[in-house]
Amino acid sequence: MTTTILTRGQALAEIRTYYVDFADDLATGVTVASATATHVPPSGSASTPTVGSIAAATVPVTLPAQTVTGLHKLDVLATLSNAD
């Protein structure tokens, strides 16, 4: 399942943590066991941002200061406690 979340712009010098909540996508009793993130800036050169400590269904991902403005994509892939 894919969930798309749009957010306001991130200033170039700003370091921001985004909190991705998977609660609506989880079956009862299932939690997020681990997660990976990919950041794709307008240049198309992907990087791997820092994933913080996961709390049940919420995954914090921190993006560093950016060097270009434009549309930035942040993809977060979760592995669930039931191995899905």
Side-chain angles (χ1 to χ4, degrees):
M1 172 176 261
T2 300
T3 301
T4 301
I5 301 169
L6 299 175
T7 187
R8 67 179 176 84
Q10 177 175 333
L12 289 179
E14 180 182 10
I15 297 170
R16 184 183 293 175
T17 300
Y18 294 91
Y19 295 89
V20 181
D21 187 354
F22 287 90
D24 291 343
D25 300 321
L26 300 177
T28 302
V30 177
T31 61
V32 176
S34 64
T36 58
T38 304
H39 169 240
V40 182
S43 66
S45 181
S47 65
T48 305
T50 302
V51 174
S53 296
I54 299 167
T58 303
V59 178
V61 180
T62 301
L63 285 183
Q66 301 302 306
T67 58
V68 296
T69 59
L71 180 63
H72 292 256
K73 283 183 59 179
L74 178 61
D75 293 319
V76 181
L77 177 64
T79 299
L80 307 180
S81 61
N82 65 354
D84 279 350

